[in-house]
Amino acid sequence: MRLVLEPRAERSTAAAIASPLIAVGLTLLVMSILFGFLGKDPLNALAVYFLQPLTDSYSLQEMVVKATPLVMIGIGLALCYLANVWNIGAEGQFVIGAVAGSYLAVKTQGTDAGTWVLPAMLVLGALGGALYALIPAICRVRFGASEILVSLMLVYVADLVLDYLVRGPWRDPHGYNFPTTADFDPVATVPSIIEGSRLHIGALMALVVVAAAWTVLGRTIKGFEIRVVGAAPKAARFAGFDADRLVLFTFAVSGALAGLAGIIEVAGPVGHLQPGISPGYGFTAIIVAFLGRLNPIGILIAGLFLALTFIGGEQAQISLKVPLDLTKVFQGILLFFVLACDSLILYRVRLIRTRKAADAVA
Amino acid sequence: MQWLDLTYLQAIILSVIVASTPLLLAASGELVVERAGVLNLGVEGMMIMGAVCAFAGAELTGSTLVGTAAGILAGVAMAAIFALLTLGLAVNQVATGLALTIFGLGLSGLIGAGFVGQRITPAPQLDLPVLTDLPFIGKILFGQDAFVYGSIVLVIGIWWFLYRTRPGLVLRAIGDNHGSAHALGYPVLSLRTGAVLFGGACAGLAGAYLSLAYTPFFIAGMTAGRGWIALALVVFASWRPARLVIGAYLFGGVTILQLHAQGAGLDIPPQLMTALPYLATIVVLVAISRTRGVAGSAAPASLGLAFVPDR
């Protein structure tokens, strides 16, 4: 018995929208089985994970706060993946962006610097992320090295750079030897949207990024170029599109967005630089990009949904005593199903019982 | 001069062997997978699952052998998920490999939560009455655990299979041009499935080595990027088994070098030394890809491409 794939003659829009929903449904099914194994009531556990956070205002705000980096990074990654360029080191670009932007915050600490500090920090963060992302891009176009492996290796390096800085030169002298910088000054902090709330203007910037990406992909030549190079490299060459330049472009943009997300995270919700500033945003954003079907609006929704899993996971850890790693398991299973369901849009799957003669070892 | 001291040198060589073995085991499996034309980026995930299941098996039964078997099985099970998606449903291999790694890191944490902090007796080392007691080389050549000897046998076996047997030839043909191989009547997907499962077994074994012999305990994320370095090693080796041994031992050497340099109290930030294996991987990837020219002609031509047979 084996699986046989038959290409579908036409692709329906309905299937394209239904596929991520089916994937989410199947993932929830597997999760409830998993909860059963852990000795928890599946329905109650799912409610704690996915419904409870939606019922109080603090969790809802927190969801937006966590979705902000996911959406920003996810948009950048989608540009890469559409062009068939594999940046999987967004986690490292996020960290380096945070470090680059924090440089200003640390250096102007306690001085009477003006309101220019925060905008300059954001620019530095984006620049840092972009430059860091250009390393694997240049390694690929100049030397032919796999951008997948180089960008991933740089994640470990970025974490160590951050670790060095907050344990060494940038450590808060009054911080009781904890590996952290001092809390950023008010001029170096991302302001809240409403006084006293956790919601910060980073969330609005994420919306701007979504709108910009939607325009670029749907309305400009650059967006067309990205999609052609990804879907039909030969046709793109005939059209005169430069694939190498596009690798540099998509890496730089996705690195800049990851770096921006990084500096917003430390200058906003975290408030200072410390190790472990990201619970894996750079990797989760890969799932966000695919769950959103590499579409900016889809990514916005997928980002909110995956932010929900982070908060639900934390709440489930407290109230149900299930390990936090369950969230990663959930994210992994979700990506499996998303990818599998995407394949069902392209192919019709049939089970064939008899072995075909052609399949016997010649 | 500490470096001239033979016992010190012996200790360094012994630790290099220990650090290299998991890389060699995982990379050998991935080499076969990639020669068949499949790119499985989930080595890290299969490896950590091997590590946790091996530790759980050994802890519960008190047997290293049962633990090793559990580690291998875990690797195979993970690889089976990958095979079902990429070979059965023609899903993008890069994305599926990433999913496998995320899933494996999470699930291993879940399984391993109850085992953190526990210890087991490490895998036994060979002890031959006369040979192991030989000065200097005795302990290096005749005092290792079964994993180390197994890794060398594995590489030789893979070399023999790929270059001296007919199925090995077919496997390489499939990796270089799946369309032609299919047209000639070779079972592309069946052979690839076999290769992927074999790769999973090797990654699981590598993970088992980490938690049963290298440390011997389990902590979350203990593979620390070794699965990714194994992937880079396959590129470094230009997809040839013999060069894989050189590469794995070179990287094991870099890992140990940074540990000893940190121990020697050199005035270098420890973070820089810890970053050394990762930086070395990047340098090696660039150097090796550069000498081969863009597009890497040594890579199997069908590497990473989905195959859907015409009917």
Side-chain angles (χ1 to χ4, degrees):
Chain A
M1 201 172 74
R2 58 202 192 89
L3 292 171
V4 170
L5 302 180
E6 286 173 356
R8 286 184 195 273
E10 50 194 293
R11 295 172 204 169
S12 71
T13 325
I17 294 172
S19 115
L21 297 178
I22 296 171
V24 169
L26 289 172
T27 310
L28 293 182
L29 195 69
V30 173
M31 281 299 277
S32 48
I33 297 171
L34 205 57
F35 280 127
F37 269 115
L38 291 168
K40 314 286 171 199
D41 172 24
L43 282 182
N44 177 37
L46 286 181
V48 169
Y49 232 91
F50 299 104
L51 294 180
Q52 214 158 299
L54 298 174
T55 54
D56 68 290
S57 129
Y58 174 81
S59 300
L60 276 177
Q61 289 183 29
E62 202 57 28
M63 189 169 127
V64 175
V65 168
K66 286 196 159 54
T68 300
L70 289 176
V71 170
M72 276 195 174
I73 305 170
I75 292 277
L77 293 181
L79 294 181
C80 290
Y81 301 161
L82 278 171
N84 212 5
V85 173
W86 295 95
N87 177 7
I88 60 171
E91 180 83 2
Q93 293 139 25
F94 178 93
V95 168
I96 291 299
V99 165
S102 298
Y103 170 79
L104 262 188
V106 171
K107 291 299 161 191
T108 60
Q109 192 93 50
T111 64
D112 250 346
T115 48
W116 59 271
V117 175
L118 183 68
M121 279 167 67
L122 297 183
V123 170
L124 264 186
L127 211 60
L131 288 176
Y132 204 60
L134 277 172
I135 301 173
I138 291 171
C139 286
R140 149 106 185 245
V141 298
R142 183 76 183 77
F143 306 114
S146 158
E147 80 273 25
I148 299 172
L149 293 174
V150 175
S151 64
L152 196 277
M153 287 293 132
L154 286 173
V155 174
Y156 293 95
V157 177
D159 278 338
L160 290 163
V161 168
L162 170 63
D163 196 73
Y164 166 71
L165 288 171
V166 294
R167 281 176 206 280
W170 290 4
R171 188 170 59 195
D172 179 12
H174 312 294
Y176 305 102
N177 259 342
F178 280 110
T180 161
T181 66
D183 278 341
F184 292 174
D185 288 338
V187 286
T189 306
V190 176
S192 302
I193 296 175
I194 314 158
E195 194 65 38
S197 107
R198 295 261 295 161
L199 277 186
H200 55 80
I201 57 164
L204 300 179
M205 294 170 71
L207 285 179
V208 173
V209 169
V210 169
W214 187 80
T215 315
V216 168
L217 280 175
R219 296 277 179 275
T220 66
I221 291 285
K222 198 72 191 170
F224 180 68
E225 181 184 343
I226 288 173
R227 283 182 286 126
V228 173
V229 169
K234 274 183 191 158
R237 258 203 307 282
F238 279 121
F241 293 142
D242 186 339
D244 279 355
R245 277 184 57 183
L246 197 65
V247 171
L248 297 172
F249 173 80
T250 50
F251 255 98
V253 171
S254 64
L257 286 173
L260 186 62
I263 186 59
I264 289 175
E265 187 70 13
V266 289
V270 182
H272 53 255
L273 196 61
Q274 64 174 47
I277 46 172
S278 160
Y281 285 138
F283 294 113
T284 305
I286 297 173
I287 304 173
V288 169
F290 279 109
L291 181 63
R293 298 197 50 83
L294 307 181
N295 170 305
I297 310 293
I299 288 169
L300 181 62
I301 300 167
L304 286 166
F305 179 67
L306 276 148
L308 179 65
T309 69
F310 275 121
I311 299 158
E314 282 167 13
Q315 295 196 346
Q317 186 189 22
I318 297 163
S319 62
L320 296 175
K321 307 271 181 290
V322 292
L324 202 56
D325 281 313
L326 202 60
T327 305
K328 256 190 229 155
V329 174
F330 171 82
Q331 294 179 351
I333 296 175
L334 179 62
L335 185 50
F336 283 142
F337 279 123
V338 167
L339 295 169
C341 288
D342 273 8
S343 189
L344 299 186
I345 297 174
L346 298 177
Y347 303 104
R348 201 186 303 276
V349 181
R350 285 179 47 189
L351 267 180
I352 291 195
R353 280 180 186 281
T354 49
R355 275 174 74 88
K356 277 175 52 185
D359 204 37
V361 181
Chain B
M1 280 299 286
Q2 203 186 12
W3 288 90
L4 293 177
D5 186 351
L6 275 187
T7 29
Y8 188 67
L9 190 60
Q10 187 193 31
I12 289 185
I13 294 176
L14 285 173
S15 50
V16 167
I17 294 174
V18 170
S20 310
T21 301
L23 297 175
L24 186 55
L25 285 170
S28 326
E30 181 65 17
L31 184 131
V32 174
V33 177
E34 294 194 12
R35 278 317 272 268
V38 181
L39 180 65
N40 185 353
L41 290 181
V43 181
E44 181 88 0
M46 301 189 293
M47 209 169 162
I48 190 91
M49 281 298 287
V52 71
C53 290
F55 189 86
E59 220 273 330
L60 295 175
T61 64
S63 153
T64 307
L65 204 62
V66 174
T68 310
I72 293 175
L73 278 179
V76 171
M78 291 286 283
I81 300 177
F82 181 84
L84 177 70
L85 285 169
T86 60
L87 303 175
L89 295 174
V91 174
N92 181 307
Q93 293 176 6
V94 175
T96 310
L98 286 173
L100 201 63
T101 291
I102 296 173
F103 176 69
L105 286 172
L107 191 58
S108 65
L110 206 59
I111 298 173
F115 295 99
V116 171
Q118 302 195 18
R119 281 190 156 267
I120 49 162
T121 24
Q125 291 168 335
L126 186 69
D127 189 9
L128 297 173
V130 183
L131 291 174
T132 309
D133 299 330
L134 285 175
F136 194 62
I137 56 161
K139 198 100 183 66
I140 293 173
L141 288 181
F142 303 107
Q144 304 294 339
D145 50 52
F147 291 95
V148 175
Y149 300 114
S151 69
I152 301 295
V153 172
L154 184 70
V155 175
I156 296 173
I158 287 172
W159 173 84
W160 177 80
F161 171 76
L162 284 178
Y163 295 103
R164 290 289 179 273
T165 70
R166 191 169 169 79
L169 178 68
V170 174
L171 184 118
R172 285 188 287 138
I174 285 174
D176 275 328
N177 191 332
H178 50 211
S180 304
H182 176 69
L184 285 170
Y186 293 122
V188 175
L189 292 179
S190 313
L191 254 175
R192 281 190 172 166
T193 307
V196 167
L197 295 181
F198 175 76
C202 291
L205 184 63
Y209 179 75
L210 284 180
S211 65
L212 296 182
Y214 194 114
T215 47
F217 52 77
F218 177 80
I219 45 167
M222 69 186 292
T223 41
R226 286 191 181 84
W228 295 103
I229 292 181
L231 279 161
L233 277 176
V234 177
V235 181
F236 171 83
S238 307
W239 291 267
R240 287 160 193 272
R243 295 188 194 173
L244 204 58
V245 182
I246 302 169
Y249 277 77
L250 209 64
F251 269 84
V254 172
T255 316
I256 294 309
L257 178 79
Q258 57 98 354
L259 284 179
H260 280 271
Q262 283 186 33
L266 294 179
D267 195 20
I268 302 171
Q271 291 91 348
L272 177 64
M273 300 308 292
T274 312
L276 217 54
Y278 309 116
L279 292 172
T281 307
I282 296 173
V283 171
V284 159
L285 276 175
V286 166
I288 225 73
S289 310
R290 179 192 162 88
T291 52
R292 264 207 322 263
V294 181
S297 52
S302 294
L303 184 61
L305 303 176
F307 176 66
V308 180
D310 294 329
R311 295 182 342 115

